[in-house]
Amino acid sequence: TLACFESKYRYSAWRPTGAINLADTDGNPDTVADPAWTPFVATPNHPEYPAAHGCVLGGLGQMLRRYFGTREVQFTLDSTVTGTTHTYSNTDEPAVESTLARIWGGMHFRTSVEHGIALGQSTADWVADRHFQPVGQ
């Protein structure tokens, strides 16, 4: 999460709502603004890139994969925000689901979520390689 938010403020990328509403200010004559466009869900007020859900779920999936030695792990996550519970059959499913939700909701571009997942995975690997070794190594 720290690496993710440090990156957000380093790159300070605009979200789809800014890109679509202000497309006529991007210096590209082929883009057209749509000032009436709004995202389907509320958009956070911090920079878009990389997607924090991607960072967290990429890291979670990678740690579970490393711990169990397989992607085929069934687990359940619940949300107090949405009041829903999801059961997943492998460690990649939460990140895939979140990718689609963040794009369809209008909060993120696909690249942001994919790069967030990669950042979370590489951070999980770094931590696991340095701090969680089998006993006797």
Side-chain angles (χ1 to χ4, degrees), residues 42-110:
T43 301
N45 64 353
H46 50 73
E48 190 267 345
Y49 177 89
H53 274 74
C55 295
V56 171
L57 292 173
L60 170 67
Q62 189 69 2
M63 287 306 267
L64 289 171
R65 198 166 27 258
R66 299 259 322 225
Y67 181 81
F68 290 107
T70 180
R71 284 183 159 76
E72 306 309 314
V73 177
Q74 185 176 28
F75 58 101
T76 301
L77 297 175
D78 62 0
S79 171
T80 57
V81 174
T82 63
T84 58
T85 300
H86 292 251
T87 298
Y88 302 99
S89 60
N90 70 58
T91 58
D92 296 327
E93 285 180 0
V96 169
E97 180 180 85
S98 181
T99 297
L100 298 175
R102 303 327 250 182
I103 295 167
W104 292 340
M107 289 178 280
H108 286 291
F109 297 105
R110 181 174 298 278

Side-chain angles (χ1 to χ4, degrees), residues 1-74:
T1 301
L2 292 173
C4 193
F5 273 83
E6 181 176 330
S7 296
K8 281 182 176 293
Y9 287 97
R10 177 184 179 104
Y11 295 106
S12 196
W14 60 359
R15 291 186 176 272
T17 189
I20 294 168
N21 295 163
L22 302 170
D24 57 345
T25 67
D26 68 358
N28 181 346
D30 294 328
T31 57
V32 178
D34 181 355
W37 186 87
T38 58
F40 183 67
V41 295
T43 301
N45 64 353
H46 50 73
E48 190 267 345
Y49 177 89
H53 274 74
C55 295
V56 171
L57 292 173
L60 170 67
Q62 189 69 2
M63 287 306 267
L64 289 171
R65 198 166 27 258
R66 299 259 322 225
Y67 181 81
F68 290 107
T70 180
R71 284 183 159 76
E72 306 309 314
V73 177
Q74 185 176 28

